[in-house]
Amino acid sequence: MEFEALFLGLEPVTALAVGVGVLALAPLVGMATKSELADSARETAKKGLVMVFEAFDKAQSAVAEAGESFQDLVAEARAERAASRNGASAPPQEVNLSD
């Protein structure tokens, strides 16, 4: 089963809380079961935390990219507004005078 697909739909804080909860419950499961099952639960909890951290990193990257895109959009809008105030109807164009 692909656990990463399960975490992609969650908010990063929620996914982190789920991972921490799994890690906290792993020792309790270990006390109630055999050693092999405890090791398996620990490995599963560790894999879950790795996936939570990866999902959190992806979410941070997506938010950073969205912020940069928004800042670019604001800069373009300001430049267009300044051009319209100065009476320029179109942005300046590059002209090549070489033969």
Side-chain angles (χ1 to χ4, degrees), residues 3 7 10 12-14 20 23 28 30 34 44 47-48 57 64 66 73 75 80 86 96-98:
F3 287 111
F7 286 116
L10 297 176
V13 175
T14 305
V20 169
L23 185 62
L28 297 175
K34 294 182 180 180
T44 302
K47 287 179 184 178
D57 288 343
L73 182 66
E80 189 174 311
N86 293 334
N96 188 0
L97 299 177
S98 64

Side-chain angles (χ1 to χ4, degrees), residues 35 44-45 76 82-83 85 90 94:
S35 177
T44 302
E76 289 175 18
R85 282 186 169 184
E94 186 175 321

Side-chain angles (χ1 to χ4, degrees), residues 2-99:
E2 187 75 26
F3 287 111
E4 186 174 358
L6 293 174
F7 286 116
L8 289 179
L10 297 176
E11 293 291 325
V13 175
T14 305
L16 184 61
V18 169
V20 169
V22 168
L23 185 62
L25 292 176
L28 297 175
V29 171
M31 288 191 295
T33 61
K34 294 182 180 180
S35 177
E36 290 178 19
L37 187 55
D39 291 341
S40 175
R42 180 177 167 81
E43 288 300 315
T44 302
K46 204 170 16 172
K47 287 179 184 178
L49 282 173
V50 168
M51 285 185 250
V52 168
F53 293 141
E54 288 175 356
F56 187 74
D57 288 343
K58 287 179 184 179
Q60 279 184 326
S61 296
V63 168
E65 287 179 22
E68 289 176 15
S69 295
F70 182 72
Q71 287 177 351
D72 291 345
L73 182 66
V74 168
E76 289 175 18
R78 284 183 177 164
E80 189 174 311
R81 180 175 172 229
S84 68
R85 282 186 169 184
N86 293 334
S89 60
Q93 296 180 356
E94 186 175 321
V95 178
N96 188 0
L97 299 177
S98 64
D99 289 277

